[in-house]
Amino acid sequence: MALSRLVYRFAAVFFTCFTLLLFPGCDSDSGNTVTPPDSFRAVVVGSGTISNDGTDYPYQLLRLEFDGKEPSYAQWFPHPDGKDAPAVMLTDPYGQITWNGDVLPEGADERTPEAVFLDANIYLINGFSALNVFGRYYAGGDIRNEVDDMVAGLRFLAQAPRVMRDRIAVYGGSWGGFESVYASAHAPEGAVPRVGVALYPVSDFQEFMHYLTVDIPLIENEEKRNQYINFFAPFVERINAGTGGDYSRWTRAYLLSRLRTPYLVLHDQWDTLIPYQHSKDLADQSAGMVRGIWFLKGSAADLNALPYGYGHGDLQLKDGGGTQYSMPMYLTLSLAYLLKELALPEQIIINGYDPDALDDFVAYLKTYKDGAEYDMEWAAPRLLDLADARVYLVNMDDPDDVITGAEAVAGAINAAWGTSLTMDTVRGALANGLPPYE
Protein backbone atom coordinates (compact mmCIF):
# COMPACT_ATOMS: atom_id res chain seq x y z
CA MET A 1 0.00 0.00 0.00
CA ALA A 2 1.29 3.47 -0.85
CA LEU A 3 2.86 5.40 2.01
CA SER A 4 0.60 8.41 1.40
CA ARG A 5 -2.54 6.34 1.85
CA LEU A 6 -1.20 4.69 5.00
CA VAL A 7 -0.49 8.11 6.45
CA TYR A 8 -3.97 9.40 5.60
CA ARG A 9 -5.66 6.43 7.22
CA PHE A 10 -3.44 6.75 10.26
CA ALA A 11 -4.29 10.40 10.73
CA ALA A 12 -8.01 9.86 10.20
CA VAL A 13 -8.45 7.34 13.01
CA PHE A 14 -6.01 6.82 15.87
CA PHE A 15 -5.77 6.36 19.61
CA THR A 16 -8.64 8.63 20.58
CA CYS A 17 -9.10 6.54 23.72
CA PHE A 18 -5.54 6.64 25.08
CA THR A 19 -6.64 8.36 28.29
CA LEU A 20 -8.53 5.17 29.20
CA LEU A 21 -5.13 3.74 30.07
CA LEU A 22 -4.61 6.45 32.66
CA PHE A 23 -7.69 5.95 34.86
CA PRO A 24 -9.29 3.27 35.21
CA GLY A 25 -24.66 -3.26 17.35
CA CYS A 26 -23.92 -6.61 15.70
CA ASP A 27 -24.99 -9.23 13.25
CA SER A 28 -26.75 -12.36 14.42
CA ASP A 29 -24.98 -15.51 15.61
CA SER A 30 -23.18 -17.06 12.69
CA GLY A 31 -22.95 -20.48 14.35
CA ASN A 32 -19.30 -20.76 13.35
CA THR A 33 -17.31 -22.81 15.87
CA VAL A 34 -13.66 -23.75 15.74
CA THR A 35 -12.75 -26.78 17.90
CA PRO A 36 -9.05 -27.66 18.03
CA PRO A 37 -7.94 -30.92 19.65
CA ASP A 38 -7.22 -29.43 23.11
CA SER A 39 -10.93 -28.71 23.81
CA PHE A 40 -10.55 -24.99 23.18
CA ARG A 41 -13.52 -23.53 21.32
CA ALA A 42 -13.88 -20.17 19.60
CA VAL A 43 -17.53 -19.48 18.84
CA VAL A 44 -18.39 -16.61 16.51
CA VAL A 45 -21.46 -15.00 18.09
CA GLY A 46 -21.56 -11.98 15.81
CA SER A 47 -19.76 -10.31 12.94
CA GLY A 48 -19.68 -7.13 10.95
CA THR A 49 -17.58 -4.74 8.89
CA ILE A 50 -16.21 -1.30 9.64
CA SER A 51 -15.31 0.88 6.67
CA ASN A 52 -12.58 3.48 6.88
CA ASP A 53 -11.12 5.47 3.97
CA GLY A 54 -12.24 2.97 1.38
CA THR A 55 -11.07 -0.13 3.21
CA ASP A 56 -13.50 -2.62 4.74
CA TYR A 57 -12.34 -4.19 8.00
CA PRO A 58 -14.27 -7.35 8.85
CA TYR A 59 -14.51 -8.33 12.49
CA GLN A 60 -15.85 -11.21 14.54
CA LEU A 61 -17.27 -11.19 18.06
CA LEU A 62 -16.03 -14.28 19.84
CA ARG A 63 -16.88 -16.43 22.84
CA LEU A 64 -13.75 -18.31 23.90
CA GLU A 65 -14.05 -21.47 25.96
CA PHE A 66 -11.48 -23.93 27.30
CA ASP A 67 -10.88 -26.38 30.13
CA GLY A 68 -14.30 -25.84 31.68
CA LYS A 69 -13.47 -22.25 32.63
CA GLU A 70 -15.85 -19.34 32.45
CA PRO A 71 -16.14 -18.15 28.83
CA SER A 72 -14.08 -15.19 27.69
CA TYR A 73 -15.05 -12.67 25.04
CA ALA A 74 -13.05 -10.94 22.35
CA GLN A 75 -13.30 -8.93 19.14
CA TRP A 76 -11.13 -10.13 16.25
CA PHE A 77 -9.94 -8.04 13.31
CA PRO A 78 -8.19 -10.37 10.84
CA HIS A 79 -6.05 -8.85 8.11
CA PRO A 80 -8.60 -7.21 5.76
CA ASP A 81 -7.02 -8.84 2.71
CA GLY A 82 -7.02 -12.31 4.27
CA LYS A 83 -3.23 -12.51 4.29
CA ASP A 84 -0.91 -14.16 6.77
CA ALA A 85 -0.04 -11.41 9.23
CA PRO A 86 1.44 -10.66 12.65
CA ALA A 87 -1.17 -10.23 15.39
CA VAL A 88 -1.47 -7.92 18.38
CA MET A 89 -3.58 -8.84 21.41
CA LEU A 90 -4.94 -5.84 23.32
CA THR A 91 -5.92 -6.37 26.94
CA ASP A 92 -9.15 -4.54 27.78
CA PRO A 93 -9.94 -4.96 31.50
CA TYR A 94 -12.79 -2.47 31.83
CA GLY A 95 -14.49 -2.50 28.43
CA GLN A 96 -18.23 -3.07 28.88
CA ILE A 97 -20.10 -5.06 26.24
CA THR A 98 -23.69 -6.20 25.67
CA TRP A 99 -23.35 -8.32 22.52
CA ASN A 100 -22.58 -11.32 24.75
CA GLY A 101 -25.71 -10.86 26.86
CA ASP A 102 -24.18 -8.76 29.64
CA VAL A 103 -26.50 -6.23 31.25
CA LEU A 104 -24.57 -3.09 32.07
CA PRO A 105 -25.13 -0.79 35.03
CA GLU A 106 -27.36 2.18 34.33
CA GLY A 107 -25.42 4.96 32.65
CA ALA A 108 -22.47 2.72 31.75
CA ASP A 109 -20.69 3.36 28.46
CA GLU A 110 -20.78 0.37 26.16
CA ARG A 111 -17.58 -0.60 24.36
CA THR A 112 -18.90 -0.82 20.83
CA PRO A 113 -17.14 -2.61 17.95
CA GLU A 114 -16.48 0.82 16.45
CA ALA A 115 -14.74 1.97 19.63
CA VAL A 116 -12.58 -1.14 19.65
CA PHE A 117 -11.63 -0.39 16.04
CA LEU A 118 -10.17 2.96 17.13
CA ASP A 119 -7.67 1.18 19.36
CA ALA A 120 -6.91 -1.51 16.79
CA ASN A 121 -6.44 0.93 13.92
CA ILE A 122 -2.71 1.61 14.39
CA TYR A 123 -2.00 -2.12 14.08
CA LEU A 124 -4.38 -2.67 11.18
CA ILE A 125 -2.86 0.06 9.05
CA ASN A 126 0.57 -1.43 9.71
CA GLY A 127 -0.62 -4.70 8.21
CA PHE A 128 -1.28 -6.64 11.41
CA SER A 129 -4.34 -8.39 12.72
CA ALA A 130 -5.73 -7.34 16.11
CA LEU A 131 -7.55 -9.14 18.91
CA ASN A 132 -9.20 -7.16 21.71
CA VAL A 133 -9.84 -9.36 24.78
CA PHE A 134 -12.36 -8.15 27.35
CA GLY A 135 -11.46 -8.72 31.00
CA ARG A 136 -15.02 -7.66 32.01
CA TYR A 137 -13.99 -6.29 35.40
CA TYR A 138 -17.59 -5.17 35.95
CA ALA A 139 -18.80 -8.79 35.83
CA GLY A 140 -17.01 -9.80 39.04
CA GLY A 141 -14.55 -12.62 39.46
CA ASP A 142 -10.95 -12.42 40.57
CA ILE A 143 -7.45 -12.06 39.21
CA ARG A 144 -7.37 -15.73 38.15
CA ASN A 145 -10.34 -15.09 35.85
CA GLU A 146 -8.62 -12.11 34.30
CA VAL A 147 -5.49 -14.10 33.48
CA ASP A 148 -7.70 -16.90 32.12
CA ASP A 149 -9.45 -14.40 29.84
CA MET A 150 -6.18 -13.22 28.34
CA VAL A 151 -4.73 -16.73 28.03
CA ALA A 152 -7.92 -17.64 26.14
CA GLY A 153 -7.07 -14.85 23.72
CA LEU A 154 -3.61 -16.31 23.17
CA ARG A 155 -5.14 -19.76 22.69
CA PHE A 156 -7.30 -18.28 19.97
CA LEU A 157 -4.25 -16.82 18.24
CA ALA A 158 -2.53 -20.20 18.51
CA GLN A 159 -5.18 -21.72 16.22
CA ALA A 160 -6.67 -18.82 14.25
CA PRO A 161 -6.06 -19.01 10.51
CA ARG A 162 -3.57 -16.67 8.82
CA VAL A 163 -1.78 -15.69 12.04
CA MET A 164 2.01 -15.65 12.01
CA ARG A 165 2.56 -17.55 15.27
CA ASP A 166 6.12 -16.26 15.60
CA ARG A 167 4.89 -12.66 15.40
CA ILE A 168 2.36 -12.22 18.18
CA ALA A 169 2.44 -9.24 20.55
CA VAL A 170 0.52 -8.21 23.68
CA TYR A 171 -0.16 -4.60 24.71
CA GLY A 172 -1.89 -3.37 27.87
CA GLY A 173 -1.88 -0.59 30.44
CA SER A 174 -2.48 -0.37 34.20
CA TRP A 175 -4.69 -3.33 35.22
CA GLY A 176 -4.43 -4.33 31.58
CA GLY A 177 -0.66 -4.18 32.04
CA PHE A 178 -0.91 -6.83 34.74
CA GLU A 179 -3.09 -8.87 32.38
CA SER A 180 -0.49 -8.45 29.65
CA VAL A 181 2.57 -9.71 31.54
CA TYR A 182 0.77 -12.51 33.40
CA ALA A 183 -0.92 -13.74 30.23
CA SER A 184 2.43 -13.85 28.46
CA ALA A 185 3.95 -15.76 31.37
CA HIS A 186 1.18 -18.37 31.02
CA ALA A 187 1.08 -18.37 27.22
CA PRO A 188 0.28 -21.68 25.54
CA GLU A 189 2.79 -23.27 23.22
CA GLY A 190 2.26 -21.96 19.72
CA ALA A 191 1.32 -18.49 20.91
CA VAL A 192 4.16 -17.30 23.11
CA PRO A 193 4.32 -13.58 22.30
CA ARG A 194 7.36 -12.37 20.45
CA VAL A 195 7.12 -9.02 22.24
CA GLY A 196 5.02 -7.38 24.93
CA VAL A 197 4.25 -3.93 26.31
CA ALA A 198 2.91 -3.27 29.79
CA LEU A 199 2.29 0.30 30.87
CA TYR A 200 2.53 0.77 34.68
CA PRO A 201 1.56 -2.83 35.52
CA VAL A 202 1.13 -4.65 38.83
CA SER A 203 3.93 -7.22 38.84
CA ASP A 204 3.84 -8.57 42.41
CA PHE A 205 0.52 -9.00 44.22
CA GLN A 206 2.01 -9.60 47.63
CA GLU A 207 3.76 -6.23 47.41
CA PHE A 208 0.68 -4.61 45.94
CA MET A 209 -1.49 -5.83 48.82
CA HIS A 210 1.04 -4.37 51.26
CA TYR A 211 0.67 -1.05 49.45
CA LEU A 212 -3.12 -1.21 49.57
CA THR A 213 -3.54 -2.43 53.14
CA VAL A 214 -0.52 -0.94 54.93
CA ASP A 215 0.76 2.10 53.02
CA ILE A 216 -2.58 3.58 51.93
CA PRO A 217 -4.07 3.55 55.48
CA LEU A 218 -1.10 5.64 56.65
CA ILE A 219 -2.23 8.65 54.58
CA GLU A 220 -2.64 11.47 57.07
CA ASN A 221 -5.63 13.28 55.56
CA GLU A 222 -8.76 11.32 56.48
CA GLU A 223 -10.77 12.33 53.43
CA LYS A 224 -7.96 11.42 51.03
CA ARG A 225 -7.27 8.18 52.91
CA ASN A 226 -10.91 7.12 52.65
CA GLN A 227 -11.01 8.01 48.95
CA TYR A 228 -8.09 5.69 48.28
CA ILE A 229 -9.47 2.91 50.48
CA ASN A 230 -12.86 3.05 48.75
CA PHE A 231 -11.29 3.15 45.31
CA PHE A 232 -9.10 0.14 45.96
CA ALA A 233 -11.68 -1.95 47.87
CA PRO A 234 -12.84 -3.90 44.78
CA PHE A 235 -9.22 -4.62 43.83
CA VAL A 236 -8.47 -5.94 47.33
CA GLU A 237 -11.51 -8.19 47.06
CA ARG A 238 -10.42 -9.56 43.68
CA ILE A 239 -6.88 -10.21 44.85
CA ASN A 240 -8.03 -11.96 48.03
CA ALA A 241 -10.49 -14.09 46.07
CA GLY A 242 -7.83 -15.05 43.54
CA THR A 243 -5.00 -15.84 45.94
CA GLY A 244 -6.65 -16.86 49.20
CA GLY A 245 -3.62 -15.28 50.82
CA ASP A 246 -1.24 -17.61 48.95
CA TYR A 247 0.92 -15.45 46.69
CA SER A 248 3.28 -18.20 45.54
CA ARG A 249 2.05 -17.88 41.95
CA TRP A 250 1.56 -14.14 42.08
CA THR A 251 5.00 -12.75 42.90
CA ARG A 252 7.50 -11.06 40.64
CA ALA A 253 9.90 -13.96 41.06
CA TYR A 254 7.27 -16.44 39.90
CA LEU A 255 6.30 -14.20 36.99
CA LEU A 256 9.90 -13.91 35.83
CA SER A 257 10.48 -17.65 36.22
CA ARG A 258 7.84 -18.25 33.51
CA LEU A 259 8.25 -15.21 31.27
CA ARG A 260 9.68 -16.03 27.83
CA THR A 261 8.63 -12.79 26.13
CA PRO A 262 10.84 -9.67 25.93
CA TYR A 263 8.88 -6.82 27.50
CA LEU A 264 8.85 -3.06 27.61
CA VAL A 265 7.39 -1.56 30.78
CA LEU A 266 6.79 2.10 31.46
CA HIS A 267 6.20 3.93 34.73
CA ASP A 268 6.05 7.41 36.25
CA GLN A 269 7.98 7.76 39.50
CA TRP A 270 5.02 9.54 41.13
CA ASP A 271 2.39 6.97 40.21
CA THR A 272 -0.06 6.83 43.13
CA LEU A 273 -2.10 3.87 41.85
CA ILE A 274 0.60 1.28 41.16
CA PRO A 275 3.97 2.04 42.73
CA TYR A 276 6.84 2.79 40.38
CA GLN A 277 8.95 0.01 41.94
CA HIS A 278 6.65 -2.61 40.41
CA SER A 279 8.12 -1.87 37.00
CA LYS A 280 11.61 -0.82 38.09
CA ASP A 281 12.15 -4.00 40.10
CA LEU A 282 10.64 -6.11 37.33
CA ALA A 283 13.19 -4.71 34.89
CA ASP A 284 16.12 -4.85 37.31
CA GLN A 285 15.46 -8.48 38.27
CA SER A 286 14.72 -9.79 34.77
CA ALA A 287 18.28 -10.32 33.49
CA GLY A 288 17.51 -8.13 30.49
CA MET A 289 14.17 -9.71 29.57
CA VAL A 290 12.31 -6.54 30.63
CA ARG A 291 13.33 -3.03 29.60
CA GLY A 292 11.92 0.21 30.94
CA ILE A 293 10.93 3.76 30.12
CA TRP A 294 11.01 5.94 33.24
CA PHE A 295 9.35 9.28 33.83
CA LEU A 296 11.44 10.46 36.75
CA LYS A 297 10.61 13.15 39.29
CA GLY A 298 13.76 13.13 41.44
CA SER A 299 12.09 11.60 44.48
CA ALA A 300 9.70 8.85 45.52
CA ALA A 301 5.95 9.45 45.41
CA ASP A 302 4.57 11.10 48.56
CA LEU A 303 0.93 10.10 49.05
CA ASN A 304 0.47 12.83 51.63
CA ALA A 305 1.70 15.57 49.28
CA LEU A 306 0.20 14.39 45.99
CA PRO A 307 -3.52 14.93 45.48
CA TYR A 308 -6.00 12.08 45.24
CA GLY A 309 -6.57 11.45 41.55
CA TYR A 310 -2.94 12.00 40.57
CA GLY A 311 -3.23 8.49 39.19
CA HIS A 312 -0.45 7.13 37.04
CA GLY A 313 1.46 10.41 37.19
CA ASP A 314 1.86 13.16 34.64
CA LEU A 315 3.63 10.86 32.14
CA GLN A 316 4.66 14.03 30.28
CA LEU A 317 1.17 14.33 28.83
CA LYS A 318 1.39 18.14 28.72
CA ASP A 319 3.92 20.78 27.83
CA GLY A 320 5.32 23.30 30.28
CA GLY A 321 2.33 25.58 29.71
CA GLY A 322 -0.19 22.88 30.54
CA THR A 323 -1.30 22.15 26.95
CA GLN A 324 -1.82 18.46 26.29
CA TYR A 325 0.32 16.99 23.55
CA SER A 326 -1.55 15.61 20.57
CA MET A 327 0.31 12.35 21.18
CA PRO A 328 2.39 11.84 24.33
CA MET A 329 5.75 10.15 24.13
CA TYR A 330 4.71 7.17 26.23
CA LEU A 331 2.46 6.14 23.33
CA THR A 332 4.94 6.95 20.58
CA LEU A 333 7.80 5.09 22.26
CA SER A 334 5.85 2.04 23.39
CA LEU A 335 4.34 1.66 19.93
CA ALA A 336 7.76 2.14 18.31
CA TYR A 337 9.12 -0.76 20.36
CA LEU A 338 6.21 -3.08 19.56
CA LEU A 339 5.90 -2.18 15.88
CA LYS A 340 9.63 -2.56 15.24
CA GLU A 341 9.76 -5.99 16.86
CA LEU A 342 6.63 -7.27 15.12
CA ALA A 343 6.99 -5.83 11.62
CA LEU A 344 8.49 -7.80 8.78
CA PRO A 345 12.11 -6.94 7.92
CA GLU A 346 11.40 -4.76 4.88
CA GLN A 347 8.08 -3.34 6.04
CA ILE A 348 7.34 0.38 6.31
CA ILE A 349 6.23 1.27 9.84
CA ILE A 350 3.79 4.12 10.48
CA ASN A 351 3.69 5.74 13.91
CA GLY A 352 2.42 9.04 15.27
CA TYR A 353 4.12 11.72 17.31
CA ASP A 354 3.99 15.31 18.53
CA PRO A 355 7.26 17.09 17.64
CA ASP A 356 7.07 19.22 20.79
CA ALA A 357 6.58 16.12 22.95
CA LEU A 358 9.66 14.51 21.37
CA ASP A 359 11.78 17.63 21.86
CA ASP A 360 10.68 17.98 25.48
CA PHE A 361 11.29 14.30 26.20
CA VAL A 362 14.86 14.46 24.89
CA ALA A 363 15.44 17.68 26.85
CA TYR A 364 14.23 15.82 29.95
CA LEU A 365 16.75 13.05 29.26
CA LYS A 366 19.56 15.60 29.07
CA THR A 367 18.48 17.31 32.30
CA TYR A 368 18.55 14.08 34.27
CA LYS A 369 21.73 12.81 32.66
CA ASP A 370 23.48 16.10 33.45
CA GLY A 371 22.28 15.79 37.04
CA ALA A 372 24.22 12.52 37.30
CA GLU A 373 21.70 11.17 39.82
CA TYR A 374 20.11 8.65 37.47
CA ASP A 375 21.41 6.36 34.77
CA MET A 376 19.50 7.49 31.68
CA GLU A 377 21.06 5.11 29.16
CA TRP A 378 17.85 3.07 29.12
CA ALA A 379 16.53 5.75 26.76
CA ALA A 380 19.05 5.25 23.93
CA PRO A 381 17.55 1.92 22.73
CA ARG A 382 14.06 3.43 22.80
CA LEU A 383 15.14 6.38 20.64
CA LEU A 384 16.86 3.85 18.41
CA ASP A 385 13.51 2.07 17.96
CA LEU A 386 12.04 5.36 16.79
CA ALA A 387 14.98 6.01 14.48
CA ASP A 388 14.67 2.64 12.74
CA ALA A 389 15.15 2.99 8.98
CA ARG A 390 11.63 1.65 8.35
CA VAL A 391 9.83 4.19 10.55
CA TYR A 392 7.81 7.17 9.30
CA LEU A 393 6.26 9.55 11.82
CA VAL A 394 3.02 11.44 11.28
CA ASN A 395 2.71 14.77 13.08
CA MET A 396 -0.62 14.37 14.86
CA ASP A 397 -1.13 18.14 14.77
CA ASP A 398 -0.57 18.27 11.00
CA PRO A 399 -1.18 14.99 9.11
CA ASP A 400 0.51 16.40 6.01
CA ASP A 401 3.76 16.64 7.99
CA VAL A 402 5.46 13.24 7.67
CA ILE A 403 9.08 12.67 8.57
CA THR A 404 11.37 9.69 8.95
CA GLY A 405 11.88 8.58 12.51
CA ALA A 406 15.62 8.97 12.10
CA GLU A 407 15.31 12.61 11.04
CA ALA A 408 12.95 13.44 13.90
CA VAL A 409 15.17 11.82 16.53
CA ALA A 410 18.34 13.43 15.14
CA GLY A 411 16.66 16.85 15.26
CA ALA A 412 15.51 16.41 18.86
CA ILE A 413 18.96 15.27 20.03
CA ASN A 414 20.64 18.13 18.19
CA ALA A 415 18.27 20.65 19.80
CA ALA A 416 18.98 19.35 23.29
CA TRP A 417 22.71 18.57 23.09
CA GLY A 418 23.95 20.82 20.29
CA THR A 419 25.15 17.84 18.25
CA SER A 420 25.12 17.65 14.46
CA LEU A 421 23.54 14.27 13.88
CA THR A 422 21.74 13.45 10.66
CA MET A 423 19.24 10.78 9.72
CA ASP A 424 22.19 8.80 8.39
CA THR A 425 24.37 9.08 11.51
CA VAL A 426 21.88 9.07 14.38
CA ARG A 427 21.54 5.30 14.61
CA GLY A 428 25.29 4.77 14.85
CA ALA A 429 25.49 7.44 17.54
CA LEU A 430 22.65 6.00 19.61
CA ALA A 431 24.23 2.57 19.42
CA ASN A 432 26.87 4.10 21.72
CA GLY A 433 24.29 5.60 24.06
CA LEU A 434 23.12 9.16 24.69
CA PRO A 435 25.35 12.20 24.04
CA PRO A 436 27.76 13.73 24.75
CA TYR A 437 29.98 11.80 22.39
CA GLU A 438 33.73 12.16 22.81
Side-chain angles (χ1 to χ4, degrees):
M1 180 176 292
L3 175 61
S4 59
R5 184 171 179 187
L6 275 173
V7 169
Y8 179 84
R9 288 165 54 197
F10 177 85
V13 183
F14 188 55
F15 261 55
T16 59
C17 300
F18 74 80
T19 54
L20 292 176
L21 294 173
L22 303 179
F23 301 99
C26 304
D27 295 343
S28 60
D29 190 337
S30 70
N32 182 17
T33 303
V34 179
T35 309
D38 67 353
S39 82
F40 174 82
R41 297 201 319 155
V43 182
V44 180
V45 300
S47 60
T49 301
I50 294 173
S51 298
N52 181 58
D53 185 37
T55 298
D56 291 334
Y57 293 95
Y59 65 83
Q60 295 175 332
L61 305 176
L62 306 174
R63 183 173 70 248
L64 308 177
E65 304 170 352
F66 75 100
D67 294 345
K69 298 180 183 295
E70 291 293 321
S72 305
Y73 297 91
Q75 182 169 339
W76 171 234
F77 287 96
H79 192 288
D81 296 331
K83 298 178 180 178
D84 289 359
V88 180
M89 187 178 89
L90 305 174
T91 64
D92 189 349
Y94 304 120
Q96 303 179 103
I97 54 176
T98 60
W99 53 260
N100 65 335
D102 284 350
V103 177
L104 304 184
E106 184 177 353
D109 292 328
E110 181 179 357
R111 191 93 155 93
T112 65
E114 290 76 17
V116 172
F117 172 75
L118 294 180
D119 286 348
N121 178 61
I122 178 60
Y123 309 108
L124 298 175
I125 67 169
N126 274 289
F128 307 157
S129 300
L131 179 72
N132 190 95
V133 183
F134 299 97
R136 299 169 64 241
Y137 186 93
Y138 60 90
D142 58 54
I143 55 176
R144 293 171 303 181
N145 301 129
E146 288 158 340
V147 175
D148 288 344
D149 288 335
M150 302 306 145
V151 171
L154 290 174
R155 283 180 173 263
F156 171 77
L157 293 177
Q159 56 85 49
R162 317 305 290 184
V163 170
M164 294 181 176
R165 316 284 180 218
D166 62 339
R167 292 185 181 271
I168 293 172
V170 185
Y171 189 108
S174 193
W175 202 245
F178 132 63
E179 293 175 340
S180 174
V181 289
Y182 273 82
S184 293
H186 292 84
E189 293 300 328
V192 175
R194 179 188 184 96
V195 62
V197 171
L199 312 178
Y200 25 87
V202 178
S203 64
D204 187 302
F205 281 89
Q206 188 167 21
E207 289 184 6
F208 193 49
M209 281 294 283
H210 186 278
Y211 179 69
L212 301 185
T213 61
V214 177
D215 296 339
I216 293 295
L218 293 178
I219 295 174
E220 296 168 0
N221 181 277
E222 181 179 8
E223 180 182 5
K224 185 196 294 187
R225 181 172 64 248
N226 289 335
Q227 285 175 314
Y228 274 107
I229 290 172
N230 292 335
F231 175 81
F232 282 123
F235 294 89
V236 171
E237 183 178 350
R238 294 174 92 84
I239 296 167
N240 282 333
T243 65
D246 178 4
Y247 297 102
S248 58
R249 293 175 177 266
W250 298 96
T251 65
R252 187 174 303 110
Y254 182 79
L255 174 66
L256 288 173
S257 73
R258 298 182 59 95
L259 192 64
R260 293 172 285 172
T261 298
Y263 253 84
L264 178 69
V265 296
L266 179 152
H267 228 115
D268 190 296
Q269 196 173 18
W270 282 2
D271 192 318
T272 61
L273 294 180
I274 300 169
Y276 164 77
Q277 286 302 131
H278 273 262
S279 292
K280 190 63 169 63
D281 290 346
L282 185 66
D284 289 347
Q285 296 168 20
S286 72
M289 181 71 76
V290 179
R291 305 296 178 87
I293 294 175
W294 315 122
F295 292 95
L296 301 171
K297 297 296 184 295
S299 64
D302 184 343
L303 293 174
N304 289 307
L306 293 168
Y308 175 75
Y310 195 73
H312 289 301
D314 67 36
L315 293 166
Q316 296 187 18
L317 297 178
K318 301 176 181 178
D319 64 20
T323 300
Q324 186 163 299
Y325 296 120
S326 58
M327 186 166 176
M329 284 304 294
Y330 86 83
L331 269 181
T332 296
L333 292 173
S334 61
L335 286 171
Y337 172 80
L338 185 149
L339 296 171
K340 175 191 172 187
E341 295 300 319
L342 211 58
L344 299 175
E346 304 303 321
Q347 179 179 344
I348 288 175
I349 299 171
I350 302 297
N351 199 351
Y353 87 126
D354 182 324
D356 292 333
L358 176 58
D359 287 344
D360 290 347
F361 178 76
V362 175
Y364 145 77
L365 298 178
K366 182 178 186 300
T367 297
Y368 273 80
K369 181 170 181 178
D370 288 350
E373 184 178 355
Y374 294 94
D375 178 3
M376 303 301 288
E377 291 306 321
W378 52 264
R382 304 291 68 84
L383 293 176
L384 200 52
D385 293 339
L386 204 58
D388 188 279
R390 298 169 293 173
V391 171
Y392 287 82
L393 295 177
V394 181
N395 182 345
M396 299 308 290
D397 288 319
D398 180 6
D400 292 327
D401 180 12
V402 182
I403 190 173
T404 66
E407 187 176 356
V409 170
I413 292 174
N414 291 342
W417 265 284
T419 50
S420 300
L421 300 175
T422 68
M423 62 181 295
D424 296 319
T425 62
V426 66
R427 287 186 291 274
L430 284 171
N432 296 315
L434 296 178
Y437 302 114
E438 299 299 333

